[in-house]
Amino acid sequence: MGARPPRGAPRPPPTPEQILALATREHVPARIAKGELEGKMKCRIWRKLHAEEAKRFDQVYELMGQNPGLVLGDAFGVVQSGMTVAEFMARKERTQRKAAIKQARGEVDNAAVAEFLASLVSAKTEVAVVLAERTVLDTLVTEEPIAFTFERTGRLEKLQVVLLARRTDWDKLLPSLERDPKLTQKPSSVARQPDKRPFSDPRPFLPQVGQPVRLVLRNGITLMMTLQKAGRFDLLLGEPGSEIFVPLHAILRFEPQTPDEPAPAP
């Protein structure tokens, strides 16, 4: 028997650009394009053997051609969901925002806020609970993840609370409060979905801890006070021993206080 001819030099591995170009031209998965470039199954053979899947790839690549910038994974999501490109991308953005908010909350220490609420419970301190259109005077009994329970009022969903303070501190603050007349007359509602609220991520507040800030709350109350602590879901303003508790969901506008504004309330 004659000697075998020497093998040629091994072909270089395909580049990502080559794989993408072939996959786009033949409307196949990248792994199939890579295989053809490596000398394995050709794309046209795969399309014959997997006609139904090939149809979906035709739809996906057609969609990508009609929407420059749409990546393969998102195009598949559009085809599989039956949504329009705009609807799918909006849903994807909401999902990403929710994940970002969840991650952000997990990165913030909540001990100071938890200790403040626990101190109100243990001392049975009378508090003023400011809601959208009224103020309740009561004693905090327990705090749950989504609700407070008060001695006389009973269980109140946290989303209803705009502000909470010791009654003595609230009585001192009340006469000097600034209010937005429009919001006082018609308070802004609170979205159930955190990603649809003006503020759900506590991180923007962290650099302002120890500094004076201006907050406009959803019922028109405007606070110009020192930001004492920022927790995962809530802020503490004012001074130690006279804290004002404000949930992030109650805030419509937030800005550092400018030098020409009045000094923070004590």
Side-chain angles (χ1 to χ4, degrees):
M1 296 178 63
R4 291 183 177 179
R7 291 182 178 179
R11 67 174 73 189
T15 65
E17 293 76 14
Q18 290 172 324
I19 294 170
L20 178 61
L22 182 58
T24 303
R25 185 171 69 248
E26 297 294 336
H27 292 187
V28 297
R31 61 184 173 80
I32 302 302
K34 182 174 183 286
E36 176 168 328
L37 291 170
E38 291 174 341
K40 300 173 186 175
M41 181 190 296
K42 291 189 176 295
C43 295
R44 59 183 176 80
I45 301 299
W46 179 87
R47 288 184 58 83
K48 286 181 180 179
L49 294 174
H50 302 85
E52 285 300 315
E53 194 172 353
K55 271 185 195 176
R56 284 197 296 275
F57 271 88
D58 286 339
Q59 290 178 284
V60 165
Y61 279 105
E62 181 182 359
L63 200 59
M64 291 169 66
Q66 296 168 350
N67 298 270
L70 187 67
V71 299
L72 187 65
D74 290 340
F76 257 107
V78 173
V79 170
Q80 291 171 345
S81 67
M83 298 178 176
T84 65
V85 172
E87 290 170 342
F88 179 84
M89 296 308 293
R91 185 181 73 174
K92 179 182 177 181
E93 185 182 354
R94 286 196 302 272
T95 301
Q96 290 174 335
R97 282 203 306 268
K98 287 177 182 178
I101 290 169
K102 185 176 181 180
Q103 180 181 349
R105 287 171 169 174
E107 294 172 358
V108 174
D109 186 357
N110 202 54
V113 174
E115 287 170 9
F116 167 72
L117 294 172
S119 70
L120 297 180
V121 173
S122 62
K124 297 184 178 179
T125 305
E126 187 175 25
V127 295
V129 189
V130 180
L131 308 178
E133 297 173 328
R134 63 192 176 103
T135 298
V136 175
L137 302 177
D138 210 329
T139 303
L140 182 62
V141 177
T142 59
E143 181 211 0
E144 303 170 26
I146 62 169
F148 292 118
T149 301
F150 295 93
E151 193 172 78
R152 296 182 296 277
T153 310
R155 193 172 186 270
L156 268 181
E157 189 178 15
K158 284 185 176 179
L159 288 183
Q160 294 179 259
V161 176
V162 174
L163 177 155
L164 186 148
R166 297 176 182 87
R167 181 179 181 178
T168 52
D169 296 325
W170 175 246
D171 289 343
K172 292 176 187 176
L173 179 64
L174 189 57
S176 61
L177 273 183
E178 179 186 334
R179 296 177 185 266
D180 181 313
K182 290 182 180 178
L183 290 171
T184 300
Q185 187 175 5
K186 188 177 180 182
S188 177
S189 59
V190 180
R192 286 280 167 186
Q193 301 88 342
D195 59 290
K196 292 185 177 180
R197 299 173 198 158
F199 297 96
S200 291
D201 184 340
R203 291 175 300 183
F205 297 92
L206 296 178
Q208 299 301 320
V209 170
Q211 303 297 318
V213 296
R214 179 188 179 95
L215 303 180
V216 178
L217 308 185
R218 69 184 188 91
N219 66 346
I221 289 177
T222 300
L223 298 175
M224 292 181 287
M225 310 180 79
T226 299
L227 175 56
Q228 188 183 134
K229 297 289 183 182
R232 290 176 186 164
F233 310 95
D234 319 281
L235 306 179
L236 293 180
L237 293 99
E239 301 300 327
S242 299
E243 298 90 346
I244 305 296
F245 169 94
V246 177
L248 293 181
H249 64 248
I251 302 171
L252 289 186
R253 293 189 291 277
F254 153 67
E255 58 189 24
Q257 189 175 337
T258 56
D260 59 340
E261 289 183 293

